Amino acid sequence: MLSRCMRFQPAVRLLLRPAAGAARALRQSRQKSDVAEYFHCTRAVVGTLTNSFVAGALRFAEPDEPINLEKAKQQHATYVAELKKLIPEVVQIPAEERFPDLVYVEDPAVVLDGTALITQMAPPTRAPEILVMQPVLEKMGYRIVTMKEPGAYLDGGDVMFTGREFLVGLSERTNQVSGPRFTLSLFLPLPASLP
């Protein structure tokens, strides 16, 4: 998770269905010269691969080849080292075996500038990850806003900030109850594309 641009995703991040009109909106935003300003990142939060990752992490489908945990840890360490070369402040969350998916730090929070939205995650096994993420973001000085509406789910991995607008996709982890609208109302007056 990167401050301002919000995200630097690990290579193993799954692609989710984009919001309607997302491709068109993204093309239009790329044409704006001031977009680059939002992608100057000075802070990052990264997770740590746990020993329980292979057996415990949620996935949409099984990989073609079994995950080699030691190789994955080595690749993740390289990723973190490269981030530290590019970004002045990198905060790494220690491994918590009870949260094998917390390596995907973009899911439990959406951050832009000085505000962090702590999401409500649909999978019951992932919902408690906010207990780890929120204190990290508070310590970094972010203003914390928490989703609390019953039945509203938002996965930060379904949210993309182009520098000019938010694109929010629907998935098994983000619903239309109010998740997307809550996110967008928090960061208004930025424009948004909703499904």
Side-chain angles (χ1 to χ4, degrees), residues 66-115:
I67 297 171
N68 178 325
L69 183 61
E70 292 312 310
K71 181 178 179 181
K73 285 183 175 185
Q74 182 181 38
Q75 290 171 336
H76 189 69
T78 301
Y79 155 72
V80 172
E82 291 301 313
L83 267 184
K84 288 179 177 181
K85 291 178 188 176
L86 299 170
I87 299 173
E89 181 184 356
V90 176
V91 175
Q92 187 161 8
I93 298 173
E96 292 230 14
E97 293 301 324
R98 62 190 173 134
F99 300 129
D101 286 300
L102 193 54
V103 69
Y104 303 114
V105 295
E106 71 274 11
D107 296 344
V110 175
V111 178
L112 182 67
D113 293 328
T115 301

Side-chain angles (χ1 to χ4, degrees), residues 22-141:
R24 183 183 75 251
L26 185 56
R27 280 194 303 277
Q28 290 171 348
S29 71
R30 286 182 180 158
Q31 296 169 3
K32 309 292 183 188
S33 60
D34 59 343
V35 171
E37 171 190 334
Y38 282 96
F39 295 96
H40 176 75
C41 299
T42 58
R43 307 169 95 184
V45 174
V46 296
T48 301
L49 273 170
T50 63
N51 292 326
S52 60
F53 179 77
V54 173
L58 298 176
R59 46 181 77 79
F60 289 106
E62 289 300 315
D64 292 336
E65 297 178 21
I67 297 171
N68 178 325
L69 183 61
E70 292 312 310
K71 181 178 179 181
K73 285 183 175 185
Q74 182 181 38
Q75 290 171 336
H76 189 69
T78 301
Y79 155 72
V80 172
E82 291 301 313
L83 267 184
K84 288 179 177 181
K85 291 178 188 176
L86 299 170
I87 299 173
E89 181 184 356
V90 176
V91 175
Q92 187 161 8
I93 298 173
E96 292 230 14
E97 293 301 324
R98 62 190 173 134
F99 300 129
D101 286 300
L102 193 54
V103 69
Y104 303 114
V105 295
E106 71 274 11
D107 296 344
V110 175
V111 178
L112 182 67
D113 293 328
T115 301
L117 168 64
I118 303 300
T119 66
Q120 287 187 151
M121 296 174 46
T125 58
R126 298 216 52 205
E129 290 177 19
I130 65 170
L131 301 174
V132 176
M133 182 59 71
Q134 184 170 336
V136 170
L137 296 172
E138 285 173 341
K139 187 174 179 180
M140 294 175 75

Side-chain angles (χ1 to χ4, degrees), residues 117 147 149 152-154 168 170 174-188 192-195:
L117 168 64
M147 286 182 64
E149 184 174 343
Y153 299 109
L154 177 71
V168 182
L170 296 179
T174 295
N175 64 19
Q176 284 190 353
V177 172
S178 74
R181 282 169 182 77
F182 184 88
T183 303
L184 302 171
S185 68
L186 179 64
F187 297 107
L188 289 176
S193 290
L194 291 171

Side-chain angles (χ1 to χ4, degrees), residues 1-24:
M1 162 178 325
L2 304 176
S3 176
R4 295 200 82 176
C5 78
M6 217 12 239
R7 232 191 275 280
F8 189 100
Q9 299 177 356
V12 293
R13 184 71 188 130
L14 299 171
L15 296 176
L16 301 171
R17 184 171 62 103
R24 183 183 75 251

